[in-house]
Amino acid sequence: MYMMIKDSGGRRLYKIAKIKNSIILGDAIKVLPKLPSGSVDLIFTDPPYFMQLPSKKLRRWGGTDVLGVKDGWDKFGSFEDYDKFTIEYLTQLRRVMKPNATIWVIGTYHNIHRIGKIMLDMGFWILNDVIWLKSNPMPNFLGVRFTNGTETLLWAVKDKQVKKYTFNKSVARSYDPSGLGMNVWRIPLCSGDERIRDRSGNKVHSTQKPEELLRRILLTSTKEGDIVLDPMAGVGTTGAIAKRLKRNFIMIEKEKGYVREIEKRLKGA
Ligand SMILES: C[S@@+](CC[C@H](N)C(=O)[O-])C[C@H]1O[C@@H](n2cnc3c(N)ncnc32)[C@H](O)[C@@H]1O
């Protein structure tokens, strides 16, 4: 069973037992401070990229449109605003991690370097950067730079002293043809039946992550019964996979339309 909770905006603290396997409709910046300290085993966060695409249409060779992230949720006034937002949610995420919890943050070249610096400055200790190598990346713009075929995941603990975190090394090895358990995961973009579309066939979410990515994250760094938090859940890939793998989830998402899609998705998960 799962629940949808609409954050009332008040200051009342949430009890973990009440929000386990829930989607909270609300702003993570307001909701996270109301979560109990030291309460989750794993965090996966896929924050806005602050992509700053130009307002004019970008076209590829051959004339097709470039469909970047143009959503309102990806817009910030400046790098300072973006960093302030990042510091606010990461401070709360660090607080709600159990002592041996780990955190995964995914981003592109637009944002991951800023986030990585902020994490290190805050005391997080980075265990790995895992490269998601897209086996079918979007072709490049006008041939003026390399085709961007990767995203970067930072996997970290709260601080350097944390040693007893979950790492299922046999699972990690099974993803790597060399058997070494390397930090490069070759996974296609989310497509086919997995991609959530509206009645007209348009993508419901511009950056829905592939289920295989979340499957690898949860299988390598959690155990059955663990609590997984995703504070900017989009269309709920984290919760859908957590449910399937018998992990508990807490998801926060501020857009009502996406939360509706999560509800539908969880019914089928
Ligand atoms: C990159 S997308 C996440 C996609 C998700 N991983 C998936 O597979 O569907 C980022 C999401 O963060 C949400 N978001 C942005 N700012 C937020 C905030 N302050 N509180 C809650 N959600 C937020 C956006 O609405 C967007 O859906």
Side-chain angles (χ1 to χ4, degrees):
M1 265 305 289
Y2 65 89
M3 274 192 324
M4 200 279 269
I5 299 167
K6 189 170 182 304
D7 183 55
S8 63
R11 290 190 175 184
R12 199 143 163 208
L13 301 182
Y14 287 107
K15 290 204 167 76
I16 278 293
K18 292 249 166 81
I19 56 170
K20 216 155 82 166
N21 299 316
S22 293
I23 316 143
I24 304 178
L25 170 59
D27 182 341
I29 299 298
K30 295 188 178 135
V31 174
L32 287 171
K34 300 189 276 185
L35 263 49
S37 300
S39 56
V40 305
D41 298 286
L42 184 103
I43 295 170
F44 170 79
T45 186
D46 181 11
Y49 308 87
F50 189 27
M51 220 173 242
Q52 306 182 63
L53 288 178
S55 48
K56 70 177 172 95
K57 267 195 175 166
L58 284 176
R59 289 189 179 257
R60 294 193 194 95
W61 274 329
T64 54
D65 288 348
V66 171
L67 302 172
V69 182
K70 295 189 183 129
D71 309 74
W73 54 256
D74 202 49
K75 300 213 179 345
F76 292 81
S78 61
F79 280 130
E80 287 73 23
D81 290 352
Y82 186 75
D83 290 354
K84 184 170 171 286
F85 169 74
T86 304
I87 291 167
E88 275 184 287
Y89 73 77
L90 282 175
T91 303
Q92 292 305 324
L93 294 180
R94 193 158 179 263
R95 182 185 63 78
V96 302
M97 288 166 76
K98 286 184 185 172
N100 294 321
T102 62
I103 177 169
W104 291 82
V105 186
I106 187 169
T108 56
Y109 67 87
H110 307 86
N111 63 339
I112 201 66
H113 304 289
R114 307 190 77 81
I115 294 177
K117 180 197 184 285
I118 289 170
M119 287 177 77
L120 290 169
D121 286 349
M122 287 172 74
F124 283 103
W125 185 248
I126 296 180
L127 298 168
N128 278 118
D129 54 352
V130 174
I131 306 304
W132 167 23
L133 178 61
K134 300 173 182 178
S135 48
N136 54 348
M138 303 279 277
N140 80 353
F141 293 177
L142 288 168
V144 293
R145 48 173 117 163
F146 296 101
T147 295
N148 181 46
T150 61
E151 292 198 23
T152 301
L153 294 125
L154 301 178
W155 184 41
V157 283
K158 274 176 109 150
D159 58 58
K160 203 177 173 179
Q161 275 66 48
V162 179
K163 304 283 181 225
K164 292 190 173 166
Y165 52 86
T166 300
F167 177 55
N168 299 319
K169 71 174 175 218
S170 58
V171 178
R173 282 186 180 151
S174 72
Y175 297 141
D176 178 6
S178 73
L180 295 173
M182 278 200 290
N183 64 335
V184 180
W185 290 345
R186 194 166 195 274
I187 301 173
L189 291 168
C190 175
S191 61
D193 288 349
E194 196 184 309
R195 187 93 214 190
I196 303 173
R197 294 185 184 273
D198 63 19
R199 282 196 190 136
S200 320
N202 300 314
K203 294 174 188 170
V204 166
H205 199 292
S206 56
T207 71
Q208 183 184 339
K209 294 294 168 296
E211 295 191 351
E212 180 60 18
L213 192 73
L214 270 300
R215 213 176 70 83
R216 292 185 186 198
I217 288 171
L218 296 194
L219 286 177
T220 47
S221 56
T222 61
K223 302 192 275 295
E224 272 190 27
D226 277 358
I227 300 180
V228 177
L229 169 68
D230 183 338
M232 294 180 241
V235 282
T237 313
T238 307
I241 301 304
K243 187 177 172 206
R244 218 174 284 161
L245 297 176
K246 301 193 172 72
R247 274 71 171 162
N248 297 292
F249 63 82
I250 299 166
M251 293 191 280
I252 307 168
E253 170 53 57
K254 68 174 184 179
E255 304 283 337
K256 204 191 259 177
Y258 296 154
V259 170
R260 257 188 244 122
E261 293 296 333
I262 297 179
E263 290 187 280
K264 283 194 240 160
R265 190 175 186 183
L266 287 175
K267 275 185 195 146

